[in-house]
Amino acid sequence: METDKVRETQLRRMLSRHGRRLAKSRRRITAAPGCRLYLVVDIYNHTAERIPPYRPNRFATLDDIEEWLSERNKAAGAPQDLDSRAPAEEDQTAPIPAPRMIDN
């Protein structure tokens, strides 16, 4: 079984190929809500991506991000341009600016 650090590194590489980066939550207390959560940020627009399940603060777990990437790649069948818009049947909101975070 892979450790979180290995999965995090793999996801960072996958996202960088699509013009995205992984930003880690700054929470350090393991029991605190929001710990071990991540943002997927568009490096060109500096906006946070909407990763299901759609949370108000746009943070997601590594599992959620991995599933989101695999679904997007499977649907296209080949590398494609990722965008921050949800499918037409989903509730769509404008992307929110993501705070600049230091990748650890």
Side-chain angles (χ1 to χ4, degrees), residues 20 40-49 58 84 95-98:
R20 307 293 189 263
V40 175
V41 180
D42 185 322
I43 61 173
Y44 303 109
N45 299 329
H46 302 290
T47 55
E49 295 288 341
R58 302 206 180 197
S84 60
I96 57 172

Side-chain angles (χ1 to χ4, degrees), residues 5-78:
K5 189 64 178 173
V6 172
R7 289 178 59 211
E8 181 181 330
T9 304
Q10 289 174 345
L11 286 174
R12 283 184 195 280
R13 288 181 183 153
M14 290 169 61
L15 289 168
S16 69
R17 291 183 199 122
H18 296 287
R20 307 293 189 263
R21 71 180 178 90
L22 196 63
K24 188 187 283 190
S25 168
R26 293 182 180 207
R27 288 265 167 112
R28 297 294 178 229
I29 301 170
T30 310
C35 185
R36 295 187 181 139
L37 292 178
Y38 300 84
L39 277 176
V40 175
V41 180
D42 185 322
I43 61 173
Y44 303 109
N45 299 329
H46 302 290
T47 55
E49 295 288 341
R50 297 182 74 231
I51 309 292
Y54 301 118
R55 295 182 177 98
N57 59 9
R58 302 206 180 197
F59 279 96
T61 63
L62 288 177
D63 293 331
D64 296 338
I65 295 169
E66 196 169 38
E67 183 178 333
W68 176 74
L69 271 175
S70 65
E71 285 177 8
R72 293 192 73 111
N73 289 335
K74 191 185 312 176

